[in-house]
Amino acid sequence: MKNYHTQQRTLLLDYLHTHIDENLSTSDILEAMSGSGISKSAVYRNLASLEAEGRLHRISRPGDRRTYYQFVDEDECRGQIHISCIRCGKTVHASPNVCERLQKTLENEDSFEIDRSETVIYGICKECRK
Ligand SMILES: [Zn+2]
Ligand SMILES: [Zn+2]
């Protein structure tokens, strides 16, 4: 029984690993998992436990009632400031220069230390501004 659960979790993680930082709706995830032998309830259960572990962030967008999840990869996302588009949900890492400058400026001007891994800056991406 335990192995079965581990296997389901691994399948879900494999999928999430190929979609790091993307905003995935619950239906995107369910659709991707359909046919892989994972039941809906198992998907929900695993999403909930990954969220509890802090590996999955739940995202809500203004004017959109769906729930989105963003998978955070501990290695790739460590120390990164994420910039996220409120229109299409695309999320990328801010360039290192931006992170450094933002961090230094806030430290100097406001004596505030950013927790980078918890920082998301929302705005509108290049594609959506066209
Ligand atoms: Zn990231
Ligand atoms: Zn966008």
Side-chain angles (χ1 to χ4, degrees):
M1 201 63 193
K2 191 151 189 262
N3 284 340
Y4 180 62
H5 280 154
T6 312
Q7 200 185 352
Q8 290 180 323
R9 189 183 155 99
T10 307
L11 281 168
L12 182 63
L13 279 172
D14 282 348
Y15 166 73
L16 292 171
H17 265 291
T18 61
H19 297 275
I20 289 169
D21 285 338
E22 284 178 40
N23 282 196
L24 304 163
S25 67
T26 316
S27 54
D28 288 337
I29 299 170
L30 286 173
E31 200 175 306
M33 288 295 110
S34 72
S36 64
I38 305 185
S39 66
K40 260 189 178 190
S41 59
V43 171
Y44 283 118
R45 193 177 57 237
N46 280 291
L47 288 176
S49 66
L50 288 168
E51 192 187 351
E53 291 162 28
R55 303 190 65 187
L56 210 51
H57 290 289
R58 189 194 287 256
I59 293 160
S60 43
R61 290 193 218 156
D64 191 338
R65 299 170 111 192
R66 281 176 295 180
T67 299
Y68 293 90
Y69 288 98
Q70 182 184 341
F71 181 66
V72 175
D73 185 86
E74 285 140 79
D75 296 322
E76 288 203 37
C77 294
R78 186 181 295 131
Q80 303 283 354
I81 291 176
H82 290 82
I83 47 180
S84 182
C85 176
I86 54 172
R87 294 222 183 123
C88 68
K90 197 173 106 190
T91 303
V92 294
H93 297 155
S95 59
N97 278 341
V98 172
C99 296
E100 291 301 328
R101 266 185 278 164
L102 191 63
Q103 188 146 30
K104 286 224 169 75
T105 307
L106 276 168
E107 263 169 30
N108 294 339
E109 313 272 325
D110 292 325
S111 304
F112 191 81
E113 191 189 335
I114 299 181
D115 180 350
R116 290 195 190 190
S117 57
E118 290 295 328
T119 304
V120 180
I121 297 174
Y122 293 99
I124 298 167
C125 78
K126 197 169 153 194
E127 276 72 44
C128 293
R129 284 204 333 253
K130 276 178 189 162

